[in-house]
Amino acid sequence: VTGQYIGANTTSQADRMNEYMYPISSVYDANVGDIVYHLSSDNHTGIYLGEGKVLHASQSKGKVVISTFEDDGTFWEYGCNAALFCLVMK
């Protein structure tokens, strides 16, 4: 929306937006609209929609899906305030 380039893959996005990232132990720790990252093994990215729901490209399904995660699930490791990043970089 703001025309900011955040990177073409998870690793480059995480590097570019590093100072706006914060650790999360559950996806429920993220804020609605934040980008969430799993960086340990398969480098996956999604957008947190609230209520444990994440919009992401499913590798197993081969399409973009909305998945619901349990509040004690530990798949996502970082949240990133993308809106703040885009506002500051304007």
Side-chain angles (χ1 to χ4, degrees), residues 4-66:
Q4 295 301 316
Y5 177 74
I6 63 169
N9 59 43
T10 301
T11 303
S12 62
Q13 289 172 14
D15 289 345
R16 174 98 166 100
M17 302 174 82
N18 186 49
E19 67 184 90
Y20 300 92
M21 292 178 73
Y22 57 93
I24 58 176
S25 58
S26 161
V27 72
Y28 286 80
D29 295 336
N31 296 303
V32 173
D34 281 2
I35 297 174
V36 290
Y37 293 95
H38 175 68
L39 300 173
S40 289
S41 59
D42 63 355
N43 293 334
H44 199 56
T45 304
I47 299 172
Y48 185 58
L49 302 176
E51 299 179 0
K53 295 179 180 160
V54 176
L55 177 73
H56 65 107
S58 171
Q59 294 169 336
S60 63
K61 295 181 181 174
K63 62 182 180 178
V64 174
V65 298
I66 296 173

Side-chain angles (χ1 to χ4, degrees), residues 54-86:
V54 176
L55 177 73
H56 65 107
S58 171
Q59 294 169 336
S60 63
K61 295 181 181 174
K63 62 182 180 178
V64 174
V65 298
I66 296 173
S67 296
T68 302
F69 294 85
E70 300 295 325
D71 63 354
D72 61 350
T74 58
F75 181 78
W76 302 102
E77 300 170 289
Y78 297 96
C80 180
N81 189 328
L84 180 60
F85 170 83
C86 290

